[in-house]
């Protein structure tokens, strides 16, 4: 199914702890509400800056859609825990962060999901693969060169988590409950609990240290 370019979600990525990145923790913190600042203060330092950066990035990304300043953006959560814009219910958002990077996706064409992961060593990768991959994907995993398996697995993880976020279930929806493949055009949903053709998934360039993906529901009226 072809997609109207205007339907493709906008994805914003921001690195954290990069010299000269243009914004700093205090500037980002100033965009947060009192409850968010209090929550950030309770976090360990290792997690605090990327969380603050992700919330600031979200506000900066959606402010043009609302026609207001970033600090004026109101955020809430829906019944499934997803961030929503109570002042703009037709603008769908998704947020993800990992060590050193955060990502925001914005869509006006239906629910959207984004995920980003840092490329890192994975302990017991075979065990993780069995928890993440559907049978067809697991068979593909065993054909991958050993040196490429960790990156391959983390890429596949981002595809699947982005789709589950777009669906609204998150990880509780079950990473193994559907499978995806790869074509020259990008990720392809081969099976899902709902119609495979309803999902649009794409990788997002995130530099040498991270992998990222975005997904959108082509038929938001069928979400349950």
């Amino acid at each position: 199914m072809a997609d109207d370019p205007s339907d493709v979600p906008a994805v914003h990525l921001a690195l954290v702890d990069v010299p000269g990145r243009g914004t700093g923790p205090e500037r980002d913190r100033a965009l947060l509400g009192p409850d968010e600042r209090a929550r950030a203060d309770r976090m360990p330092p290792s997690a605090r800056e990327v969380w603050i950066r992700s919330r600031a990035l979200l506000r900066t990304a959606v402010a043009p859609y609302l026609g207001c300043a970033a600090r004026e953006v109101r955020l809430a959560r829906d019944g499934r825990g997803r961030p929503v814009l109570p002042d703009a219910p037709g603008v769908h958002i998704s947020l993800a962060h990992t060590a050193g990077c955060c990502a925001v996706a914005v869509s006006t064409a239906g629910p959207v999901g984004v995920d980003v992961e840092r490329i890192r060593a994975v302990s017991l990768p075979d065990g993780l693969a069995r928890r993440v991959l559907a049978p067809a994907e697991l068979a593909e995993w065993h054909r991958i060169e050993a040196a490429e398996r960790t990156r391959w697995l983390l890429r596949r993880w981002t595809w699947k988590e982005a789709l589950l976020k777009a669906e609204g279930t998150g990880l509780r929806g079950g990473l193994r409950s559907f499978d995806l493949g790869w074509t020259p055009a990008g990720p392809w949903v081969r099976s899902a609990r709902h119609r495979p053709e309803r999902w649009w998934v794409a990788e997002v360039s995130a530099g040498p240290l991270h992998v990222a993906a975005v997904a959108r529901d082509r038929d938001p009226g069928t979400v349950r």
Side-chain angles (χ1 to χ4, degrees):
M1 178 186 295
D3 286 278
D4 184 327
S6 65
D7 289 345
V8 175
V11 179
H12 306 260
L13 288 167
L15 299 178
V16 180
D17 292 331
V18 175
R21 65 181 171 89
T23 62
E26 291 309 312
R27 181 175 174 181
D28 288 341
R29 183 183 173 89
L31 298 180
L32 274 57
D35 291 345
E36 291 171 311
R37 290 195 291 269
R39 179 178 175 183
D41 289 342
R42 295 192 295 270
M43 293 180 176
S46 59
R48 184 181 303 139
E49 186 175 356
V50 71
W51 190 85
I52 291 174
R53 184 73 186 109
S54 70
R55 306 294 286 195
L57 177 65
L58 177 57
R59 283 185 160 80
T60 302
V62 302
Y65 294 84
L66 278 65
C68 66
R71 65 179 178 276
E72 298 171 343
V73 173
R74 289 200 310 131
L75 298 173
R77 291 195 174 273
D78 66 11
R80 295 174 173 176
R82 293 181 295 187
V84 295
L85 300 169
D87 298 323
V91 180
H92 303 268
I93 55 178
S94 183
L95 175 67
H97 53 80
T98 188
C101 187
C102 53
V104 168
V106 186
S107 173
T108 57
V112 65
V114 70
D115 189 46
V116 60
E117 297 291 338
R118 184 176 180 89
I119 299 170
R120 61 194 185 277
V122 175
S123 60
L124 302 175
D126 288 334
L128 179 61
R130 288 191 293 271
R131 294 196 299 273
V132 171
L133 304 176
E137 294 171 315
L138 193 58
E140 187 177 356
W141 154 266
H142 288 299
R143 296 193 295 269
I144 301 296
E145 293 281 346
E148 299 297 323
R149 283 186 174 182
T150 296
R151 185 183 182 92
W152 187 98
L153 181 58
L154 291 172
R155 286 175 65 203
R156 190 63 56 101
W157 180 293
T158 64
W159 302 356
K160 303 187 88 170
E161 184 165 353
L163 189 153
L164 290 173
K165 284 185 172 183
E167 186 185 49
T169 58
L171 290 180
R172 68 181 181 275
L175 291 166
R176 295 184 68 248
S177 62
F178 64 98
D179 66 270
L180 296 92
W182 175 262
T183 72
W188 168 54
V189 182
R190 294 184 294 212
S191 70
R193 290 179 302 285
H194 305 294
R195 294 177 290 109
E197 67 274 12
R198 71 180 277 194
W199 298 107
W200 176 89
V201 183
E203 285 198 300
V204 177
S205 178
L209 299 180
H210 298 87
V211 289
V214 61
R216 179 174 65 77
D217 180 6
R218 289 189 174 110
D219 186 8
T222 64
V223 172
R224 296 290 182 267

